[in-house]
């Protein structure tokens, strides 16, 4: 007779799933923190022009964007090929800029309302007449802080 007894059939012990909820919540929290939500989906062609004297804006929360350019290929059948204005996720006319700016002001805290900057993201192929109309409408509602968004580079590259 032997002093040592054989164990059963040698099955592996069951894996503990007690820490699984902790891991799931940790991953959920990680993705919530690092994920950036997209503000707008562009419906226009928006190839920005080059500029040699570019400065970065410090406070992005004070910026409201007005896009201008030809509708992208996906929207050309519906809206044509002439340059259009896009506010948030919708095509708009020059007359809609007033309502847009006033809504943006109302959505901000009172002390930030006078510090809002209107950033014009205008495609380099867009007619300056449309840009002038946008600027005139902004003047009417006293939105005088205007920023032209451009890419850093030589101006010669705009041709």
């Amino acid at each position: 007779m032997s002093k040592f007894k054989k164990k059963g059939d040698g099955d592996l012990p069951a894996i503990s799933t007690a820490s699984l909820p902790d891991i799931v919540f940790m991953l959920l929290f990680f993705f919530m923190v690092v994920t950036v939500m997209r503000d707008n989906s562009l419906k226009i062609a928006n190839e920005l022009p080059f500029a040699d004297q570019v400065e970065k804006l410090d406070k992005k929360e004070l910026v409201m964007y007005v896009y201008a350019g030809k509708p992208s290929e996906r929207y050309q059948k519906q809206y044509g090929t002439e340059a259009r204005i896009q506010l948030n996720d919708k095509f708009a006319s020059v007359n809609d800029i007033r309502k847009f700016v006033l809504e943006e002001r109302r959505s901000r805290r009172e002390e930030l309302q006078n510090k809002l900057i209107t950033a014009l993201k205008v495609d380099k192929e867009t007619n300056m007449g449309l840009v002038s109309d946008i600027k005139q409408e902004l003047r009417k509602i006293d939105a005088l802080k205007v920023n032209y968004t451009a890419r850093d580079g030589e101006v010669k590259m705009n041709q």
Side-chain angles (χ1 to χ4, degrees):
M1 293 220 210
S2 68
K3 291 183 175 181
F4 301 105
K5 293 185 182 177
K6 263 189 169 179
K7 289 186 177 179
D9 50 356
D11 286 339
L12 291 173
I15 296 174
S16 173
T17 58
S19 63
L20 192 59
D22 293 337
I23 295 169
V24 169
F25 283 116
M26 190 169 40
L27 285 171
L28 178 67
F29 183 72
F30 171 77
F31 286 114
M32 285 173 54
V33 170
V34 298
T35 301
V36 177
M37 299 301 283
R38 182 175 43 173
D39 290 334
N40 298 315
S41 55
L42 284 180
K43 296 181 178 182
I44 60 168
N46 196 253
E47 187 177 338
L48 298 174
F50 289 98
D52 55 3
Q53 296 179 1
V54 178
E55 292 182 29
K56 236 179 180 179
L57 290 175
D58 293 332
K59 297 184 178 181
K60 298 263 184 186
E61 67 270 4
L62 296 177
V63 180
M64 55 186 157
Y65 294 99
V66 175
Y67 300 94
K70 294 180 181 177
S72 60
E73 290 181 25
R74 181 177 175 188
Y75 299 100
Q76 283 183 357
K77 287 183 182 176
Q78 187 176 2
Y79 296 103
T81 58
E82 192 173 322
R84 309 245 347 188
I85 299 171
Q86 180 182 339
L87 303 173
N88 290 334
D89 283 337
K90 297 179 222 157
F91 284 112
S93 68
V94 176
N95 299 329
D96 296 331
I97 294 174
R98 171 180 291 226
K99 181 181 174 189
F100 169 73
V101 171
L102 294 176
E103 284 177 5
E104 286 289 321
R105 283 181 182 165
R106 272 190 237 113
S107 69
R108 308 297 166 96
R109 295 192 322 252
E110 191 173 333
E111 62 270 9
L112 298 178
Q113 288 179 359
N114 293 332
K115 297 179 182 178
L116 283 176
I117 300 169
T118 306
L120 299 179
K121 287 193 167 188
V122 181
D123 184 60
K124 68 180 186 179
E125 299 295 322
T126 302
N127 187 342
M128 269 311 285
L130 180 62
V131 177
S132 179
D133 292 344
I134 294 170
K135 287 173 44 180
Q136 290 296 330
E137 195 65 27
L138 290 172
R139 284 185 193 138
K140 289 178 187 175
I141 54 175
D142 203 31
L144 303 177
K145 295 180 183 175
V146 178
N147 173 22
Y148 293 95
T149 306
R151 292 184 290 174
D152 193 17
E154 290 294 320
V155 178
K156 297 173 194 173
M157 297 168 60
N158 286 329
Q159 283 124 21

